[in-house]
Coordinates of all heavy atoms in Angstrom, one line a residue:
M9 N 7.9 -2.5 -7.2 CA 7.7 -1.1 -7.0 C 8.6 -0.7 -5.8 O 8.6 -1.3 -4.8 CB 6.2 -0.8 -6.6 CG 5.9 0.6 -6.5 SD 5.6 1.6 -7.9 CE 4.6 0.6 -8.9
D10 N 9.3 0.4 -6.0 CA 10.2 0.9 -5.0 C 9.5 2.0 -4.2 O 8.6 2.7 -4.7 CB 11.5 1.5 -5.6 CG 12.3 0.5 -6.4 OD1 12.2 -0.7 -6.0 OD2 13.0 0.8 -7.3
Y11 N 9.8 2.1 -2.9 CA 9.1 3.1 -2.0 C 10.2 3.9 -1.3 O 11.3 3.6 -1.2 CB 8.3 2.3 -1.0 CG 7.1 1.6 -1.6 CD1 7.2 0.3 -2.1 CD2 5.9 2.3 -1.7 CE1 6.1 -0.3 -2.6 CE2 4.8 1.7 -2.3 CZ 4.9 0.4 -2.8 OH 3.8 -0.2 -3.3
A12 N 9.7 5.0 -0.7 CA 10.5 5.9 0.0 C 9.7 6.5 1.2 O 8.5 6.6 1.1 CB 11.1 7.0 -0.8
I13 N 10.4 6.9 2.2 CA 9.8 7.7 3.3 C 10.1 9.2 3.0 O 11.3 9.5 2.9 CB 10.3 7.3 4.7 CG1 9.9 5.8 4.9 CG2 9.8 8.2 5.8 CD1 10.4 5.3 6.3
Y14 N 9.1 10.0 2.9 CA 9.3 11.4 2.6 C 9.0 12.2 3.9 O 8.3 11.8 4.8 CB 8.3 11.9 1.6 CG 8.6 11.3 0.2 CD1 8.0 10.1 -0.2 CD2 9.3 12.0 -0.7 CE1 8.3 9.6 -1.5 CE2 9.6 11.5 -2.0 CZ 9.1 10.3 -2.3 OH 9.3 9.8 -3.6
K15 N 9.6 13.4 3.9 CA 9.4 14.3 5.1 C 9.0 15.7 4.5 O 9.5 16.2 3.5 CB 10.6 14.5 5.9 CG 10.5 15.5 7.0 CD 11.8 15.7 7.8 CE 11.6 16.7 8.9 NZ 12.9 16.9 9.6
T16 N 8.0 16.3 5.1 CA 7.6 17.7 4.8 C 7.5 18.5 6.0 O 7.2 18.0 7.1 CB 6.2 17.8 4.1 OG1 5.2 17.3 5.0 CG2 6.2 16.9 2.8
N17 N 7.8 19.8 5.9 CA 7.7 20.8 6.9 C 6.5 21.7 6.5 O 6.7 22.4 5.5 CB 8.9 21.6 7.1 CG 10.1 20.7 7.7 OD1 10.4 19.7 7.1 ND2 10.7 21.1 8.7
D18 N 5.5 21.7 7.3 CA 4.3 22.6 7.0 C 3.7 22.3 5.6 O 3.2 23.2 4.9 CB 4.6 24.1 7.2 CG 4.8 24.4 8.6 OD1 4.1 23.8 9.5 OD2 5.6 25.4 8.9
G19 N 3.9 21.1 5.2 CA 3.3 20.7 3.9 C 4.1 21.1 2.7 O 3.6 21.0 1.5
K20 N 5.3 21.7 2.8 CA 6.1 22.2 1.7 C 7.4 21.4 1.6 O 7.9 20.8 2.5 CB 6.5 23.6 2.0 CG 5.3 24.6 2.2 CD 5.9 25.9 2.6 CE 4.9 26.6 3.5 NZ 5.4 27.7 4.2
N21 N 7.9 21.4 0.4 CA 9.2 20.8 0.0 C 9.4 19.3 0.5 O 10.2 19.1 1.4 CB 10.3 21.6 0.6 CG 10.3 23.1 0.2 OD1 9.9 23.4 -0.9 ND2 10.6 24.0 1.1
P22 N 8.6 18.4 -0.1 CA 8.8 17.0 0.3 C 10.2 16.5 -0.1 O 10.6 16.9 -1.2 CB 7.7 16.3 -0.4 CG 7.2 17.2 -1.5 CD 7.5 18.6 -1.1
R23 N 10.8 15.8 0.8 CA 12.1 15.3 0.4 C 12.3 13.8 0.9 O 11.6 13.5 1.9 CB 13.2 16.1 1.0 CG 13.2 16.3 2.5 CD 14.1 17.5 2.9 NE 14.0 17.8 4.3 CZ 13.1 18.5 4.9 NH1 12.1 19.0 4.1 NH2 13.1 18.7 6.2
V24 N 13.1 13.1 0.2 CA 13.3 11.7 0.6 C 14.2 11.5 1.8 O 15.3 12.1 1.8 CB 13.9 10.9 -0.6 CG1 14.2 9.5 -0.2 CG2 12.9 10.9 -1.8
I25 N 13.7 10.8 2.8 CA 14.6 10.5 4.0 C 15.2 9.1 3.8 O 16.4 9.0 4.1 CB 13.7 10.6 5.2 CG1 13.0 12.0 5.3 CG2 14.5 10.3 6.5 CD1 14.0 13.1 5.4
Y26 N 14.4 8.1 3.5 CA 14.9 6.8 3.3 C 14.4 6.2 2.0 O 13.2 6.5 1.6 CB 14.4 5.8 4.4 CG 15.0 6.2 5.8 CD1 14.3 6.8 6.7 CD2 16.3 5.8 6.1 CE1 14.8 7.1 8.0 CE2 16.9 6.1 7.3 CZ 16.1 6.8 8.3 OH 16.6 7.1 9.5
R27 N 15.2 5.4 1.3 CA 14.8 4.7 0.1 C 14.7 3.2 0.3 O 15.6 2.7 1.0 CB 15.7 5.0 -1.0 CG 15.8 6.4 -1.5 CD 17.0 6.6 -2.5 NE 17.2 8.0 -2.7 CZ 16.7 8.7 -3.7 NH1 15.9 8.1 -4.6 NH2 17.0 9.9 -3.8
F28 N 13.7 2.5 -0.3 CA 13.6 1.1 -0.1 C 13.3 0.5 -1.5 O 12.3 0.8 -2.1 CB 12.4 0.7 0.8 CG 12.6 1.3 2.2 CD1 12.1 2.5 2.5 CD2 13.3 0.6 3.1 CE1 12.2 3.1 3.8 CE2 13.5 1.1 4.4 CZ 12.9 2.4 4.7
T29 N 14.3 -0.2 -2.1 CA 14.1 -0.8 -3.4 C 13.8 -2.3 -3.2 O 14.2 -2.9 -2.3 CB 15.4 -0.6 -4.2 OG1 16.5 -1.3 -3.6 CG2 15.8 0.9 -4.4
Q30 N 13.1 -2.8 -4.2 CA 12.8 -4.2 -4.2 C 14.0 -5.1 -4.2 O 14.1 -6.1 -3.5 CB 11.9 -4.6 -5.4 CG 10.5 -3.9 -5.4 CD 9.6 -4.4 -4.3 OE1 9.9 -5.4 -3.6 NE2 8.5 -3.7 -4.1
E31 N 15.0 -4.7 -4.9 CA 16.2 -5.4 -5.0 C 17.0 -5.5 -3.7 O 17.4 -6.5 -3.3 CB 17.1 -4.8 -6.1 CG 18.4 -5.6 -6.4 CD 19.1 -4.9 -7.6 OE1 18.6 -4.8 -8.7 OE2 20.3 -4.5 -7.3
A32 N 17.1 -4.4 -3.0 CA 17.8 -4.3 -1.7 C 17.0 -4.9 -0.6 O 17.6 -5.4 0.4 CB 18.1 -2.9 -1.4
C33 N 15.7 -5.0 -0.7 CA 14.8 -5.5 0.4 C 14.2 -6.8 0.1 O 13.3 -7.2 0.8 CB 13.7 -4.5 0.7 SG 14.3 -2.9 1.2
N34 N 14.8 -7.6 -0.8 CA 14.4 -8.9 -1.1 C 12.9 -8.9 -1.5 O 12.1 -9.8 -1.1 CB 14.6 -9.9 0.1 CG 14.6 -11.3 -0.3 OD1 14.7 -11.7 -1.5 ND2 14.3 -12.2 0.6
H35 N 12.5 -8.0 -2.4 CA 11.2 -7.8 -2.9 C 10.1 -7.6 -1.8 O 9.0 -8.0 -2.0 CB 10.8 -9.0 -3.8 CG 11.7 -9.2 -5.0 ND1 11.5 -8.4 -6.1 CD2 12.8 -10.0 -5.2 CE1 12.5 -8.7 -7.0 NE2 13.2 -9.6 -6.4
R36 N 10.5 -6.9 -0.8 CA 9.6 -6.6 0.3 C 9.8 -5.1 0.7 O 9.9 -4.8 1.9 CB 9.8 -7.5 1.5 CG 9.4 -8.9 1.2 CD 9.6 -9.9 2.4 NE 9.0 -9.4 3.6 CZ 7.7 -9.6 3.9 NH1 6.9 -10.3 3.1 NH2 7.3 -9.2 5.1
A37 N 9.9 -4.2 -0.3 CA 10.2 -2.8 0.0 C 9.2 -2.1 0.8 O 9.5 -1.4 1.7 CB 10.4 -2.1 -1.4
K38 N 7.9 -2.3 0.5 CA 6.9 -1.7 1.3 C 6.9 -2.1 2.7 O 6.7 -1.3 3.6 CB 5.5 -1.9 0.7 CG 4.4 -1.0 1.3 CD 3.3 -0.8 0.4 CE 2.4 0.3 1.1 NZ 1.2 0.6 0.2
C39 N 7.0 -3.4 3.0 CA 7.1 -3.9 4.3 C 8.3 -3.3 5.1 O 8.2 -2.9 6.3 CB 7.2 -5.4 4.3 SG 5.7 -6.2 3.8
A40 N 9.4 -3.2 4.4 CA 10.6 -2.6 5.1 C 10.4 -1.1 5.4 O 10.7 -0.6 6.4 CB 11.8 -2.7 4.2
A41 N 9.7 -0.4 4.5 CA 9.4 1.0 4.7 C 8.4 1.2 5.9 O 8.6 2.1 6.7 CB 8.8 1.6 3.4
I42 N 7.4 0.3 6.0 CA 6.5 0.4 7.1 C 7.2 0.1 8.4 O 6.9 0.8 9.4 CB 5.3 -0.6 6.8 CG1 4.4 0.0 5.7 CG2 4.4 -0.8 8.1 CD1 3.3 -1.0 5.2
E43 N 8.0 -0.9 8.4 CA 8.8 -1.2 9.7 C 9.6 0.0 10.1 O 9.7 0.4 11.3 CB 9.7 -2.4 9.4 CG 9.0 -3.7 9.4 CD 9.9 -4.8 9.2 OE1 11.1 -4.7 9.5 OE2 9.5 -5.9 8.7
K44 N 10.3 0.7 9.2 CA 11.2 1.8 9.5 C 10.3 3.0 10.0 O 10.6 3.7 10.9 CB 12.0 2.2 8.3 CG 12.9 3.4 8.5 CD 14.0 3.0 9.6 CE 15.0 4.1 9.8 NZ 15.9 3.7 10.8
L45 N 9.2 3.2 9.3 CA 8.3 4.3 9.7 C 7.7 4.1 11.1 O 7.6 5.0 11.9 CB 7.1 4.5 8.7 CG 6.3 5.7 8.8 CD1 7.1 6.9 8.4 CD2 5.0 5.6 8.1
Q46 N 7.4 2.8 11.5 CA 6.9 2.5 12.8 C 8.0 2.8 13.8 O 7.7 3.3 14.9 CB 6.4 1.1 12.9 CG 5.2 0.8 12.0 CD 4.0 1.7 12.4 OE1 3.7 1.8 13.6 NE2 3.3 2.2 11.5
E47 N 9.2 2.4 13.5 CA 10.4 2.7 14.4 C 10.5 4.2 14.6 O 10.7 4.7 15.8 CB 11.6 2.2 13.8 CG 12.9 2.4 14.5 CD 14.1 1.9 13.8 OE1 14.1 0.8 13.3 OE2 15.1 2.7 13.7
M48 N 10.4 5.0 13.6 CA 10.5 6.5 13.7 C 9.3 7.0 14.5 O 9.5 7.9 15.4 CB 10.5 7.1 12.3 CG 11.7 6.8 11.5 SD 11.5 7.2 9.7 CE 11.2 9.0 9.8
W49 N 8.1 6.4 14.4 CA 6.9 6.8 15.1 C 7.1 6.6 16.6 O 6.8 7.5 17.4 CB 5.7 6.1 14.5 CG 4.4 6.2 15.3 CD1 3.7 5.2 15.8 CD2 3.7 7.4 15.5 NE1 2.5 5.7 16.3 CE2 2.5 7.1 16.2 CE3 3.9 8.8 15.2 CZ2 1.6 8.0 16.6 CZ3 3.0 9.7 15.6 CH2 1.8 9.3 16.3
L50 N 7.7 5.5 17.0 CA 7.9 5.2 18.4 C 8.9 6.2 19.0 O 8.8 6.6 20.2 CB 8.5 3.8 18.6 CG 7.4 2.7 18.3 CD1 8.1 1.3 18.4 CD2 6.3 2.8 19.2
R51 N 9.9 6.7 18.2 CA 10.8 7.7 18.7 C 10.1 9.0 19.0 O 10.4 9.7 19.9 CB 12.0 7.9 17.8 CG 13.1 6.8 18.0 CD 14.3 7.1 17.2 NE 14.2 6.3 15.9 CZ 14.6 6.7 14.8 NH1 15.2 7.9 14.6 NH2 14.4 6.0 13.7
V52 N 9.2 9.3 18.1 CA 8.4 10.6 18.3 C 7.5 10.5 19.6 O 7.5 11.4 20.3 CB 7.5 10.9 17.1 CG1 6.5 11.9 17.3 CG2 8.4 11.3 15.9
L53 N 6.9 9.3 19.8 CA 6.1 9.1 20.9 C 6.9 9.1 22.3 O 6.3 9.4 23.3 CB 5.3 7.8 20.8 CG 4.2 7.8 19.7 CD1 3.6 6.4 19.7 CD2 3.2 8.9 19.9
D54 N 8.2 8.9 22.2 CA 9.0 8.9 23.4 C 9.2 10.3 23.9 O 9.7 10.4 25.1 CB 10.3 8.2 23.1 CG 10.3 6.7 23.1 OD1 9.2 6.2 23.6 OD2 11.2 6.1 22.6
K55 N 9.0 11.3 23.1 CA 9.2 12.7 23.5 C 8.0 13.6 23.4 O 7.9 14.5 22.5 CB 10.4 13.3 22.7 CG 11.7 12.6 23.0 CD 12.8 13.2 22.2 CE 14.1 12.6 22.7 NZ 14.7 11.6 21.9
P56 N 6.9 13.3 24.2 CA 5.7 14.1 24.0 C 5.8 15.5 24.3 O 5.0 16.3 23.8 CB 4.7 13.4 24.9 CG 5.6 12.7 25.9 CD 6.9 12.4 25.2
F57 N 6.8 15.9 25.1 CA 7.0 17.3 25.5 C 7.5 18.1 24.3 O 7.3 19.3 24.3 CB 7.9 17.5 26.7 CG 9.2 16.7 26.6 CD1 10.3 17.4 26.0 CD2 9.3 15.4 27.0 CE1 11.5 16.7 25.9 CE2 10.5 14.7 26.8 CZ 11.6 15.4 26.3
L58 N 8.2 17.5 23.4 CA 8.7 18.2 22.2 C 7.8 18.1 21.0 O 7.7 19.0 20.2 CB 10.1 17.6 21.7 CG 11.3 18.0 22.6 CD1 12.5 17.2 22.0 CD2 11.5 19.5 22.5
N59 N 7.1 17.0 20.9 CA 6.3 16.7 19.7 C 4.8 16.7 20.1 O 4.3 15.7 20.6 CB 6.7 15.4 19.1 CG 8.2 15.3 18.9 OD1 8.8 16.2 18.4 ND2 8.8 14.2 19.3
K60 N 4.1 17.8 19.9 CA 2.7 17.9 20.3 C 1.8 17.4 19.2 O 2.1 17.5 18.0 CB 2.4 19.4 20.6 CG 3.3 20.0 21.7 CD 3.0 19.4 23.0 CE 3.9 20.1 24.1 NZ 3.8 19.6 25.3
N61 N 0.6 17.1 19.5 CA -0.5 16.7 18.6 C -0.1 15.7 17.6 O -0.4 15.7 16.4 CB -1.0 18.0 17.8 CG -1.5 19.1 18.7 OD1 -2.1 18.8 19.8 ND2 -1.2 20.3 18.4
A62 N 0.6 14.6 18.1 CA 1.0 13.6 17.2 C -0.1 12.7 16.8 O -0.9 12.3 17.6 CB 2.1 12.7 17.9
V63 N -0.3 12.4 15.5 CA -1.3 11.5 14.9 C -0.6 10.6 13.9 O 0.4 11.1 13.2 CB -2.5 12.3 14.3 CG1 -3.2 13.0 15.3 CG2 -2.0 13.2 13.2
G64 N -1.1 9.4 13.7 CA -0.4 8.5 12.8 C -1.3 7.4 12.3 O -2.2 7.0 13.0
T65 N -0.9 6.8 11.2 CA -1.5 5.6 10.7 C -0.3 4.7 10.3 O 0.8 5.0 10.6 CB -2.3 5.9 9.4 OG1 -1.5 6.3 8.4 CG2 -3.5 6.9 9.7
K66 N -0.7 3.6 9.6 CA 0.3 2.6 9.3 C 1.3 3.2 8.3 O 2.5 2.8 8.3 CB -0.4 1.4 8.7 CG 0.6 0.2 8.4 CD -0.2 -1.0 8.0 CE -0.3 -1.2 6.6 NZ -0.9 -2.4 6.1
E67 N 0.9 4.1 7.4 CA 1.8 4.6 6.3 C 2.1 6.1 6.4 O 2.7 6.6 5.5 CB 1.1 4.3 5.0 CG 1.0 2.8 4.7 CD 0.5 2.5 3.3 OE1 0.4 3.4 2.5 OE2 0.3 1.3 3.1
E68 N 1.8 6.7 7.5 CA 2.2 8.1 7.7 C 2.0 8.6 9.2 O 1.2 7.9 9.9 CB 1.4 9.1 6.8 CG -0.1 9.3 7.2 CD -0.7 10.3 6.3 OE1 -0.7 11.5 6.7 OE2 -1.3 9.9 5.3
F69 N 2.7 9.6 9.6 CA 2.4 10.2 10.8 C 2.9 11.7 10.8 O 3.6 12.1 9.9 CB 3.1 9.5 12.0 CG 4.6 9.6 12.1 CD1 5.2 10.6 12.7 CD2 5.4 8.6 11.5 CE1 6.6 10.7 12.8 CE2 6.7 8.6 11.6 CZ 7.4 9.7 12.2
S70 N 2.3 12.5 11.7 CA 2.7 13.9 11.7 C 2.6 14.4 13.2 O 1.9 13.8 14.0 CB 1.8 14.7 10.8 OG 0.4 14.6 11.2
Y71 N 3.2 15.5 13.4 CA 3.2 16.1 14.7 C 3.6 17.6 14.6 O 4.2 18.0 13.6 CB 4.2 15.4 15.7 CG 5.6 15.3 15.2 CD1 6.5 16.3 15.6 CD2 6.1 14.3 14.4 CE1 7.8 16.2 15.2 CE2 7.4 14.2 14.0 CZ 8.3 15.2 14.4 OH 9.6 15.2 14.0
D72 N 3.4 18.3 15.7 CA 3.8 19.7 15.7 C 5.1 19.8 16.5 O 5.1 19.4 17.7 CB 2.7 20.6 16.5 CG 1.5 20.7 15.6 OD1 1.5 20.7 14.4 OD2 0.4 20.9 16.2
Y73 N 6.1 20.3 15.9 CA 7.4 20.5 16.5 C 7.5 21.9 17.0 O 7.4 22.8 16.2 CB 8.5 20.1 15.5 CG 9.9 20.2 16.1 CD1 10.4 19.3 17.0 CD2 10.7 21.3 15.9 CE1 11.6 19.4 17.6 CE2 12.0 21.4 16.4 CZ 12.4 20.5 17.3 OH 13.7 20.6 17.9
I74 N 7.7 22.1 18.2 CA 7.8 23.4 18.8 C 9.2 24.1 18.5 O 10.2 23.5 18.8 CB 7.7 23.3 20.4 CG1 6.4 22.5 20.8 CG2 7.7 24.7 21.0 CD1 5.2 23.1 20.3
T75 N 9.1 25.2 17.8 CA 10.3 25.9 17.3 C 10.7 27.0 18.3 O 11.8 27.4 18.4 CB 10.2 26.4 15.9 OG1 9.0 27.2 15.8 CG2 10.1 25.3 14.9
S76 N 9.7 27.6 18.9 CA 9.9 28.7 19.9 C 8.7 28.7 20.9 O 7.8 27.9 20.7 CB 10.1 30.0 19.3 OG 8.9 30.5 18.7
V77 N 8.6 29.6 21.7 CA 7.5 29.7 22.7 C 6.2 29.9 22.0 O 5.2 29.3 22.4 CB 7.8 30.9 23.7 CG1 6.6 31.0 24.6 CG2 9.0 30.6 24.5
N78 N 6.2 30.7 20.9 CA 4.9 31.0 20.2 C 4.7 30.3 18.9 O 3.6 30.4 18.3 CB 4.8 32.5 20.0 CG 4.8 33.3 21.3 OD1 4.2 32.8 22.3 ND2 5.4 34.4 21.3
T79 N 5.7 29.6 18.4 CA 5.6 29.0 17.0 C 5.9 27.5 17.0 O 6.6 27.0 17.9 CB 6.5 29.7 16.0 OG1 7.8 29.6 16.4 CG2 6.2 31.2 15.9
S80 N 5.3 26.9 16.1 CA 5.6 25.5 15.8 C 5.5 25.2 14.3 O 4.9 26.0 13.6 CB 4.7 24.6 16.6 OG 3.4 24.7 16.2
E81 N 6.0 24.1 13.9 CA 5.8 23.7 12.5 C 5.3 22.3 12.5 O 5.7 21.5 13.3 CB 7.1 23.9 11.7 CG 8.3 23.1 12.1 CD 9.5 23.4 11.2 OE1 9.5 24.4 10.5 OE2 10.4 22.6 11.2
R82 N 4.5 22.0 11.5 CA 3.9 20.6 11.3 C 4.9 19.8 10.5 O 5.2 20.1 9.4 CB 2.6 20.7 10.6 CG 1.8 19.4 10.6 CD 1.2 19.2 12.0 NE 0.4 18.0 12.0 CZ -0.1 17.5 13.1 NH1 0.2 18.0 14.2 NH2 -0.8 16.4 13.1
I83 N 5.4 18.7 11.1 CA 6.3 17.8 10.5 C 5.5 16.5 10.1 O 4.7 16.0 10.9 CB 7.4 17.3 11.4 CG1 8.1 18.5 12.0 CG2 8.4 16.4 10.7 CD1 8.9 19.4 11.1
R84 N 5.6 16.1 8.8 CA 4.9 14.9 8.4 C 5.8 14.0 7.7 O 6.7 14.4 6.8 CB 3.8 15.3 7.4 CG 3.0 14.2 6.8 CD 1.9 14.6 5.9 NE 1.2 13.5 5.3 CZ 1.1 13.4 4.0 NH1 1.5 14.3 3.1 NH2 0.5 12.3 3.5
F85 N 5.8 12.7 8.0 CA 6.5 11.6 7.4 C 5.5 10.7 6.8 O 4.5 10.3 7.4 CB 7.4 10.8 8.4 CG 8.5 11.6 9.0 CD1 8.4 12.3 10.2 CD2 9.7 11.6 8.3 CE1 9.4 13.0 10.7 CE2 10.8 12.3 8.9 CZ 10.7 13.0 10.0
Y86 N 5.7 10.3 5.5 CA 4.8 9.4 4.9 C 5.5 8.5 3.9 O 6.6 8.8 3.4 CB 3.7 10.1 4.2 CG 4.1 11.1 3.1 CD1 4.1 10.7 1.8 CD2 4.6 12.4 3.4 CE1 4.5 11.6 0.8 CE2 5.0 13.2 2.5 CZ 5.0 12.8 1.1 OH 5.4 13.7 0.2
I87 N 4.9 7.4 3.5 CA 5.4 6.4 2.6 C 4.7 6.7 1.2 O 3.5 6.8 1.2 CB 5.2 5.0 3.0 CG1 5.9 4.7 4.3 CG2 5.6 4.0 1.9 CD1 5.6 3.4 4.9
A88 N 5.5 6.7 0.2 CA 5.0 6.9 -1.2 C 5.9 6.2 -2.2 O 7.1 5.8 -1.8 CB 4.8 8.3 -1.6
K89 N 5.4 6.0 -3.4 CA 6.3 5.4 -4.4 C 7.4 6.3 -4.8 O 7.3 7.5 -4.7 CB 5.4 5.1 -5.7 CG 4.4 4.1 -5.4 CD 3.5 3.9 -6.6 CE 2.4 2.9 -6.3 NZ 1.4 2.8 -7.4
L90 N 8.6 5.6 -5.1 CA 9.8 6.4 -5.4 C 9.8 6.8 -6.8 O 9.3 6.2 -7.7 CB 11.0 5.5 -5.1 CG 12.3 6.1 -5.1 CD1 12.4 7.3 -4.1 CD2 13.4 5.1 -4.8

């Protein structure tokens, strides 16, 4: 089974950010996807002043990205089948 990391803004328009195929990842596509997602999660945690209300699990995370003084959008990254 092939997997991908998807991104949504405010729950709309999911799009593929990274693809992980069994062939390219030596039949460990999900493990490779989880590793990459954890790496991305650590980068989000490094900037708490930009990324508010960050929550995450092993297979997804989301945060509020401040777009202006009064507005923000909810960014979500998650792993799903390709």
Side-chain angles (χ1 to χ4, degrees):
M9 183 81 46
D10 296 335
Y11 291 91
I13 295 177
Y14 292 87
K15 177 183 179 181
T16 64
N17 294 53
D18 289 329
K20 302 176 209 158
N21 305 326
R23 58 196 175 278
V24 174
I25 302 299
Y26 293 103
R27 297 173 190 265
F28 302 92
T29 62
Q30 294 294 350
E31 188 176 297
C33 297
N34 198 21
H35 297 282
R36 296 179 51 84
K38 189 158 188 177
C39 290
I42 289 171
E43 285 179 27
K44 183 64 177 178
L45 192 73
Q46 293 302 315
E47 178 185 312
M48 294 167 60
W49 173 237
L50 290 176
R51 279 188 266 145
V52 166
L53 292 179
D54 282 345
K55 296 185 169 98
F57 52 90
L58 284 178
N59 309 315
K60 305 286 185 189
N61 302 322
V63 294
T65 65
K66 187 170 96 171
E67 296 187 8
E68 72 175 271
F69 70 87
S70 60
Y71 60 91
D72 291 332
Y73 182 75
I74 307 301
T75 54
S76 72
V77 174
N78 296 324
T79 61
S80 67
E81 61 182 18
R82 189 74 177 170
I83 309 293
R84 179 177 176 234
F85 290 93
Y86 62 96
I87 297 172
K89 295 177 183 174
L90 193 57

